[in-house]
Amino acid sequence: MKSWRGVPMLVSVLSGLVVACGPVPQGEVEAVDGVAPVRESETAVGTVTAEGLVPLPGPGWDVCEDSAQRVRDINPGPASSSPDELVAANGRLFFVATDPEHGRELWMSQGPGRPTSLVKDVNPGLGHSVPRALTVMGRWVFFVADDGAHGVELWRTDGTARGTELVKDVRPGVAGSLPDKLTVVDGTLYFTANDGAHGRELWRTDGTEWGTELAYEFAPGPGSAQFDRLLTWEQDLTLVVYNGTTRATTLWNVDTRGQVGALFTLNDGVFLELEPAGRQLFFTVNPGTDESDLWVTRNTPDTATWLRHFVGQEPKSLTAMGDAVYFAAGGEGYWGDLGDPRHGSELWTSDGTVWGTRLVRDINPGAEGAFSPYLDPGFVVVDDRTLYFAADDGCLGRELWRSDGTLLGTWMVADLEPGKSGSDPQDLTADTGWLFFSATTSGHGSEPWFSGGRFWNTHSLADIAPGSASSNPKGFVRADWNVFFAATDGAGDQELWSVSFRPVRSCGARAF
């Protein structure tokens, strides 16, 4: 029999149905600046009707054990291997770790009881190649590393030592081209690099040496362009480039034919965040004050539309769900502006219209708000229909919440740490209908948890760091039938851990 810990108290049942602090009665909606939130024609998941609780369809996968296993002690003794950059490709986990014989290099794992090994000692001996920016494209994992001879350049691997190779020596010599901002768009990998002749510019590759080329020179000549960010939007590349001559910042689009066009230019200020949602791209800008604006555009010039002005905290952590974005806004600004004095920092959404840019729910009634401007709300979307995040309702502390985008469909999943201190969920990661995260509870510290979206299927794993010590799990990634993460045991050794996660029919019986 498996002993499952962390089943929340009865207050969690109630919080899943009505919010413990300041509930909004059914049938009533709160107006924001005179605009009422959109009313839904369908009953929200998680509400109570005459027929009972409206259920959430159950996921087809499940966590099969009540404890995690250390995959391998890569760096035996008091030192840690410090796994990082976890990514899944071809049913295997790729990550970066340190051992006493090779330094910090690229590793691969197939899970407990199966091979976990160094892929290749890219910088032979004790030299560190320090792989970073692991990015999956097709059957390859691309990464940036220094082999000690070519400087920092772009590499790729198929998981074998023979198949781990330099893609191209973009800048010959030990200086290296310092590739950055690796972004996959429709089978092409874009990145920025400095070849020593053109300065830092936009490059692209199909994964071969001959297919690696300068894509576009935004600052002609030896001067470098200043790239803020690159992202994938439908089948195009979108990026922000700062022009040091005119001091303008421009949002650019690169289509599938490689054609480059300007979408929107700021003569003053900076772009803060960009988030594609369907055919629209949402972005925020700061004109140089403690204020910001939310905009939306299509992928053609002169289609940018202003949506709303925000005083104080800028819209933070823009996250797409369906064709809309969700974000935190309304809190105190970095320079002391009080923001929204009625609601504070709360959950907002926008569908790309002025009318559809609205407060979802005032989770913590009053000016204090549900989100701290200094903490990541951890927005993550499950199955493109449920948003999960960490929020504080003012009574039960910072706990795990969920929303379907409606007022009545926004509620706390479980009160994991009763009282005002809260469990402080962090590193929220979604996979196959489930949510994996870390949470801190009395007597157990920060340990791994998982949730199917209800209090009754929200559980913790057995402590990795016994007692009140914290294992501080992070980097949850599923590869094949395991969820991997980095965690620290009771001796302070941070290594790679995993928990079995597979289709329900393959789990066998499980007792709660």
Side-chain angles (χ1 to χ4, degrees), residues 1-4 509-512:
M1 298 286 287
K2 299 181 177 69
S3 62
W4 291 88
R510 187 178 75 174
F512 288 86

Side-chain angles (χ1 to χ4, degrees), residues 162-174:
R162 186 175 180 179
T164 303
E165 57 191 4
L166 179 70
V167 175
K168 182 174 183 174
D169 191 4
V170 172
R171 184 174 186 171
V174 296

Side-chain angles (χ1 to χ4, degrees), residues 193-260:
N194 187 341
D195 65 357
H198 302 90
R200 180 161 295 277
E201 294 293 351
L202 182 66
W203 286 69
R204 64 184 169 210
T205 183
D206 60 4
T208 67
E209 180 179 3
W210 297 109
T212 303
E213 61 185 4
L214 181 67
Y216 191 81
E217 194 172 4
F218 287 92
S224 295
Q226 297 183 37
F227 296 90
D228 189 8
R229 67 205 68 193
L230 278 67
L231 59 88
T232 304
W233 178 19
E234 295 188 301
Q235 293 182 316
D236 294 350
L237 173 74
T238 301
L239 64 160
V240 174
V241 182
Y242 172 74
N243 188 317
T245 302
T246 65
R247 303 186 63 82
T249 306
T250 302
L251 179 67
W252 296 85
N253 187 74
V254 183
D255 65 20
T256 54
R257 299 170 298 168
Q259 299 297 310
V260 179

Side-chain angles (χ1 to χ4, degrees), residues 20 102 240 264 346 349 388 455 488 508:
H102 307 96
V240 174
F264 185 81
E346 293 288 350
T349 186
Y388 289 87
F455 75 92
T488 304

Side-chain angles (χ1 to χ4, degrees), residues 13-14 18 31 57 83 88 120 159 161 175 185 195 205 218 301 316 336 350 364 370 429 454 480 485 491 493 497 502:
V13 181
L14 299 176
V18 294
K120 183 174 183 175
V185 183
D195 65 357
T205 183
F218 287 92
K316 181 178 181 180
S350 178
N364 188 351
T429 305
R454 292 288 192 267
D480 197 24
F485 55 95
D493 185 15
W497 292 71
R502 55 183 61 195

Side-chain angles (χ1 to χ4, degrees), residues 141-163:
V141 176
F142 291 83
F143 60 98
V144 176
D146 184 352
D147 66 356
H150 300 91
V152 179
E153 293 288 356
L154 182 66
W155 288 68
R156 71 175 188 178
T157 184
D158 61 0
T160 66
R162 186 175 180 179

